[in-house]
Amino acid sequence: MLVGVRHPAPGPGPPGPDRPAPSPARRAPPISTSTAPPDDTGGASEADTAPDAPTGRRRFLTYLLAAPTLTVAARLGLEAAAPAAAQTALRAAEATRMSAQEASTPSQLPGLPDVPDILDLGDALTVAGLPTSHLLVLELTPAGRVVLWLPRVEVGQGLTTAVAMLVADELDARLDDVDVPLSDSRPELLFNQLTAASNSVRSLYDPVRAAAAAARARLVTAAARRWNVPADTLRTAASTVLAPDGRRAGYGELAADAATIAVPALPATPKTADQLRLVGRPTGRIDARDIVTGRAKYAGDLAIPGAMPTVVARPTTINGTLKALDATTARAMPGVLGVVRIPTGVAVLAETFDQALKARDALVITWNPGPVAGLCDADIRARLRAAHDPFIVPPPLTRYVDGEFDFAFVNHAPMEVLTAVADVRPNRAELWFSAQTPIVAQQTIAAELGLPQDAVTVHVVRGGGSFGRRLFFDAALEAAQISRAAGRPVKLMWTRADDMRHGRMRPASHHRVRATFAPGRVLTYEHRAATVRTDTRHGLGEALTAAGFDLSLAGLSIAQAHFLLTEKNPYDVGIPTQLLAELPLDVHTGSWRSVYSGTVRVADEIMMDELARRMGEDPIAFRRARLRDTAGRAVLDTVATAGSWGRPMPPGQAQGIGYHDEYGGRTAYLVELDATDPKNPRVTKAVIAADIGQVINPRGLEAQLTGALIDGISVILQAGNHIDNGAVRESSYADFRYARQRHTPPVVEIHLMPPSGRPGGAGELGVPAASAAVANAYARATGTSPRSFPIDF
C-alpha cells in the first residue's frame, strides 16, 4: 500500500532516534541504598514506594505529587474547576433530555454548544483520575534506564512509544534508554487506570511531562553539587548532564545522589513547544523489534509454572445454560487433566491445547436455550424500530428529509484471541491478562473468589488488539473460576469461534432522522437512536460519579450519560435533538471502537449528503458553510484540495466524504470507490486529513487513521454478525467478513495539520468519518441510498 503523508512542522533540534528500545526485562536493578524522606517537592521514601524492597536499597522515584509548587497548584485548580464543569454539562444534559421528551421546547438553541463541547467523556475520565494523577511513577536505575510505569494497557495503539517520547523529550534522555512497562492493577489509582475513550495521551500528557521534568531538575542539581558549580550553568542531552568545562555525568551515575534531593536548584518546569526535539517527529515503535522477533510476550506466551492449557465448551445459543453432561469419554482421552463445570460452560484441562480441544469436542452435552433463543435479526430490528420516541410534527408546508438506518451487530475480533492465566490458591490469587480495566477486574474476581481485593494480583499484559473488547475480562474471570475448581493454575484460551459467538459485540441499532429545511437553511434536526443495550459494567458509571456527575439526579442511565458526553452534530442544523433508547436484550455487548459515534455520526453524515442534494449544494460546500469549528473547516479544505474533490469519475465510480470531531480531534476522509460491480465494491483511494492538536508521534497517528479506514470499509460494505435463532452465525474471519488486503485501497494519503494546543484523542476519531465516506461514495457511485449496513450482509 502506497502511503503519502504530510507531517506537522517539527520543532527545532536534531531528530530523535528511531530504533526500538530494549525490553524492560533487560533493565538493571535499582540502586541499593536508602532514599530521602518524602516532601512536597520531590522526595519519595522507599517505605512508601517499594514496601517489598530489601533494607538498604535505593531507587530514584519521581512522583507528580513531588512536582514544583506551581504545577501542584495548577493541578489542584483543575480539581476544583472540574466538578463545576461536570455539573454544567449535567445540567445541559438534563435540559436536553427533558425538552426532547416533552417536545415543547427546543433541546438546544441554534449556535449554542453541545454537551461534549463543554465537557466530553474523555474530559470526564480525566477529571475522575485527577485525585490520583500524582501517583505516576518514574524510576531511574543505576544502569541509566529510565522506567515509566504505565497505568494503562498497550493493545497495539502505540501508547508505550508515545509515552516514551514524552519522557525522553522532557528528561533529555535517549529514547533507547526509556522503558515503559505496564503497571499491575493498582487500586489506589481509583479511576486512573482505565484505557478508554481516546483518553490515555490526553490524561497522561501533563503528569508524564511533569514527572520527567522533576527528575531532570534533580539530576542537574545532583551534578551541580558534585562539581560545586551553579546548576543553571549545566545542560542535559543524551541521558547526560554536561558542564561548560567538558565534564559530564550519565543519569545512571547521578541517580543515587538525585534521590536525596528534596528541593532542586532549578524549577522543574516542562518544556515549551519550541524546545521539543522528539515530540511531533515520526518515530518507530519502541517495541517493534520485540514484536517481530517474538520477544514481546502476550498472555498466551507466558510460561507460568504449572499453568495447564484450558478451553471451554460453550452453549449453542447466547447465554444458554448446562442441562446435562457426560464427560466419560473426554476424561479418558490422552493428556486430559480434568473437566470442570463453570457458570458459562464446561472447562477441559489438558497437557496441550490440541488435547484440550479434542477432549472438549468429545464431551456429550445438552444445553438449555438462552434468553434470546428464537430471535433473529429481523425480530431485533423490529423491536428497535418500535423503541423510538416520535418525531416532533413539522409545521404545515415545511420541507423535510427523513432517513432510517439499520446497523448490524459487529464483533470486536482482535487478532489475539482472549487468553488469561490464573493461579488461585485458598488465600490468594494471581492472574495475567490484557486488561483495559484492571482495577474493576481485580475487584470482581476477588468478590467471585471470596477473597479480599488485596489478595488478588492482576498483572497487566500487552494485548494483540482490543477496539474496546478488553474493557471486559470474561476470560480472566473464567480462568479464576476454573483454577479454583481444579485446584491448579490454568492458561485459558478462547478460540476465535468462542469470541465470535459468545464474546462482545457492538450493539445492533436503528436510527430515525428528520431534518426540516428552507432555502439555504436547515431549520431542525432530530435524531432518534435505538440500540440494543450496551453493557457498561466496566467502571464507567463510577468514574462519571467521581467526575461530579450525579446520574440519579438527572435521571440518566450510564449509557445515556455516555451518549450525551460523546454525541453531537458539528454543524449548524437549526434546532438539533438527539435521543437514545435502549432495548434490553440479554446478549453480550460492549463498547466497539468509537461506540455510539460509529453509527450515530454515520447516519448524520449520510443525511448531510442527502440534505445537500435536496438543497442543491455541493456536499463539501454544504458542510463547510455549516461547520461551527474553524479548525474543522481547515481539515475539510485540506482533504478537498488534496483529494481533488469533484474531479470527473468514470461511470460506477464516485467520491465520498465524511467528517467527524470528537475528544478534541477532528478528521475528514475522502474516498474514491469503484462500484462498477455493485456486489463487489472496492475503495480505490483514500485521502485523510486530521487535526488533533499536538501530535506526539505522527507515525502512530497515521496507523490509527489507517486502521479506522479499514474498519469503515469493513462495517459499511461487508462485515457484521447475524443472529439466527438466538445464536451468532459467524465463527471466524472466514465468515465475519472483515476487510482483507484485496479490499484495501492501493493509495492512502494522510495529511496531518500543524500542531495546535494540547493533544486530542485519536484512537476512536477516524471510524465514523471513514465509515460515512465509504457509505456516501457507494451511494453516489450506484445512485442508491443505502439504509442497512453492512450493505452486503
Side-chain angles (χ1 to χ4, degrees):
M1 178 168 64
L2 173 64
V3 180
V5 182
R6 179 168 66 83
H7 299 294
D18 188 15
R19 300 183 299 276
S23 167
R26 298 194 290 274
R27 294 187 293 112
I31 298 169
S32 297
T33 49
S34 63
T35 56
D39 67 276
D40 63 355
T41 56
S45 71
E46 188 68 17
D48 290 338
T49 59
D52 296 328
T55 302
R57 293 179 60 199
R58 169 187 282 166
R59 59 183 181 174
F60 177 54
L61 298 174
T62 300
Y63 287 86
L64 181 58
L65 177 64
T69 302
L70 180 61
T71 304
V72 174
R75 185 174 68 84
L76 293 176
L78 281 174
E79 287 177 346
Q87 290 302 330
T88 299
L90 186 61
R91 286 192 292 270
E94 173 64 1
T96 299
R97 186 182 69 86
M98 293 300 295
S99 61
Q101 285 181 343
E102 295 169 2
S104 59
T105 57
S107 64
Q108 178 187 316
L109 295 176
L112 291 183
D114 288 310
V115 173
D117 293 321
I118 302 170
L119 187 86
D120 65 30
L121 181 62
D123 295 327
L125 294 180
T126 300
V127 170
L130 278 175
T132 61
S133 62
H134 61 280
L135 296 179
L136 188 70
V137 178
L138 184 79
E139 178 182 356
L140 183 60
T141 75
R145 305 302 304 167
V146 181
V147 185
L148 190 289
W149 292 91
L150 183 65
R152 300 292 189 276
V153 66
E154 171 67 70
V155 286
Q157 76 274 45
L159 178 59
T160 51
T161 299
V163 169
M165 292 173 69
L166 289 173
V167 171
D169 232 349
E170 286 297 337
L171 198 52
D172 284 327
R174 291 182 292 262
L175 187 59
D176 282 355
D177 292 341
V178 181
D179 299 321
V180 187
L182 308 182
S183 294
D184 289 350
S185 176
R186 296 177 56 194
E188 71 274 14
L189 292 179
L190 300 178
F191 307 105
N192 204 15
Q193 201 173 5
L194 171 66
T195 309
S198 296
N199 175 251
S200 292
V201 170
R202 293 176 75 190
S203 62
L204 292 172
Y205 182 67
D206 286 333
V208 167
R209 293 167 64 235
R216 174 167 44 85
R218 283 159 178 76
L219 289 164
V220 171
T221 302
R225 291 181 180 179
R226 175 179 294 187
W227 298 328
N228 196 26
V229 298
D232 59 5
T233 65
L234 305 179
R235 64 186 181 91
T236 52
S239 302
T240 305
V241 179
L242 305 168
D245 60 8
R247 283 180 289 181
R248 54 196 301 131
Y251 286 172
E253 61 182 290
L254 292 170
D257 292 339
T260 67
I261 294 170
V263 180
L266 296 174
T269 306
K271 295 180 178 179
T272 58
D274 61 345
Q275 295 174 314
L276 301 177
R277 62 184 181 87
L278 277 177
V279 168
R281 294 186 177 276
T283 303
R285 292 182 57 134
I286 63 172
D287 53 2
R289 186 180 299 275
D290 287 347
I291 291 172
V292 300
T293 59
R295 290 183 62 94
K297 299 301 181 185
Y298 300 83
D301 300 319
L302 300 178
I304 305 303
M308 305 312 298
T310 304
V311 295
V312 172
R314 303 182 185 280
T316 52
T317 58
I318 296 171
N319 285 327
T321 56
L322 182 66
K323 182 176 183 179
L325 169 66
D326 182 354
T328 305
T329 301
R331 292 182 189 275
M333 293 179 69
V336 173
L337 302 173
V339 177
V340 173
R341 298 188 187 199
I342 57 174
T344 51
V346 181
V348 178
L349 294 72
E351 294 176 357
T352 68
F353 277 112
D354 180 63
Q355 292 170 333
L357 288 166
K358 288 177 178 176
R360 185 189 68 172
D361 294 342
L363 295 170
V364 180
I365 304 178
T366 303
W367 299 101
N368 293 311
V372 295
L375 286 184
C376 296
D377 290 323
D379 307 309
I380 296 172
R381 281 196 295 269
R383 293 191 184 189
L384 287 169
R385 290 189 179 109
H388 290 293
D389 287 331
F391 284 134
I392 298 173
V393 178
L397 305 180
T398 302
R399 301 176 68 189
Y400 64 91
V401 178
D402 279 358
E404 293 199 30
F405 305 92
D406 285 301
F407 293 88
F409 288 100
V410 172
N411 198 276
H412 294 79
M415 186 65 71
E416 180 209 7
V417 294
L418 300 183
T419 306
V421 182
D423 183 0
V424 177
R425 308 293 175 90
N427 59 351
R428 66 174 181 83
E430 194 169 7
L431 295 99
W432 296 257
F433 59 100
S434 183
Q436 290 180 250
T437 55
I439 297 173
V440 177
Q442 182 186 30
Q443 293 168 340
T444 304
I445 292 169
E448 169 66 21
L449 299 176
L451 294 173
Q453 184 175 343
D454 60 6
V456 176
T457 301
V458 170
H459 301 289
V460 179
V461 184
R462 69 166 55 238
S466 177
F467 319 110
R469 178 64 182 93
R470 300 180 201 277
L471 284 166
F472 291 90
F473 40 89
D474 318 50
L477 181 59
E478 287 185 340
Q481 293 167 337
I482 297 165
S483 179
R484 175 179 59 181
R488 65 192 311 162
V490 301
K491 180 187 287 186
L492 173 64
M493 178 184 70
W494 283 41
T495 65
R496 177 67 59 198
D498 286 341
D499 201 30
M500 285 284 178
R501 292 178 170 168
H502 299 278
R504 305 281 170 171
M505 299 179 290
R506 180 188 75 179
S509 63
H510 182 265
H511 302 253
R512 284 182 179 166
V513 184
R514 172 173 290 173
T516 65
F517 63 96
R521 287 186 59 197
V522 180
L523 303 175
T524 64
Y525 190 89
E526 298 178 73
H527 190 140
R528 304 286 186 266
T531 78
V532 174
R533 179 177 293 166
T534 303
D535 194 338
T536 56
R537 292 173 298 171
H538 44 59
L540 178 60
E542 292 85 348
L544 292 177
T545 300
F549 283 88
D550 187 343
L551 302 184
S552 61
L553 178 66
L556 297 173
S557 68
I558 296 171
Q560 287 169 330
H562 187 168
F563 185 83
L564 286 165
L565 287 169
T566 55
E567 300 316 298
K568 66 174 184 176
N569 194 311
Y571 307 105
D572 179 3
V573 287
I575 300 174
T577 304
Q578 292 187 134
L579 288 179
L580 171 69
E582 290 195 290
L583 179 64
L585 286 184
D586 191 5
V587 299
H588 305 295
T589 61
S591 300
W592 188 80
R593 195 174 185 186
S594 79
V595 198
Y596 297 110
S597 298
T599 56
V600 171
R601 287 290 298 123
V602 176
D604 287 342
E605 287 294 297
I606 294 173
M607 289 294 291
M608 293 303 108
D609 259 34
E610 299 198 6
L611 276 167
R613 184 169 61 253
R614 290 284 295 273
M615 296 171 68
E617 299 184 37
D618 172 80
I620 286 187
F622 177 88
R623 288 171 170 82
R624 193 185 188 285
R626 290 163 178 82
L627 263 178
R628 302 196 302 262
D629 181 53
T630 301
R633 289 193 289 274
V635 166
L636 267 180
D637 291 345
T638 298
V639 82
T641 301
S644 301
W645 173 257
R647 74 180 184 88
M649 302 285 288
Q653 300 182 35
Q655 295 176 314
I657 188 72
Y659 174 84
H660 182 56
D661 70 67
E662 191 171 34
Y663 298 132
R666 51 200 59 81
T667 187
Y669 281 64
L670 188 160
V671 304
E672 296 184 358
L673 182 140
D674 184 348
T676 307
D677 178 1
K679 293 294 185 181
N680 293 287
R682 184 185 178 189
V683 175
T684 57
K685 182 179 180 180
V687 180
I688 307 165
D691 182 348
I692 66 159
Q694 175 64 65
V695 179
I696 307 303
N697 184 7
R699 286 190 184 171
L701 177 55
E702 294 154 17
Q704 294 275 24
L705 296 170
T706 304
L709 171 65
I710 306 308
D711 279 339
I713 292 171
S714 300
V715 300
I716 291 299
L717 296 181
Q718 61 193 42
N721 288 111
H722 293 80
I723 306 297
D724 290 339
N725 293 315
V728 177
R729 180 191 305 174
E730 285 70 26
S731 64
S732 71
Y733 287 132
D735 49 11
F736 178 70
R737 299 164 56 214
Y738 191 82
R740 306 294 181 92
Q741 188 67 38
R742 66 180 180 273
H743 302 122
T744 61
V747 178
V748 176
E749 296 178 13
I750 301 176
H751 300 264
L752 305 183
M753 307 302 284
S756 59
R758 296 171 52 80
E764 302 179 81
L765 177 68
V767 174
S771 300
V774 174
N776 286 331
Y778 183 90
R780 289 161 61 88
T782 61
T784 64
S785 297
R787 290 292 189 261
S788 186
F789 302 99
I791 293 169
D792 182 10
F793 196 41

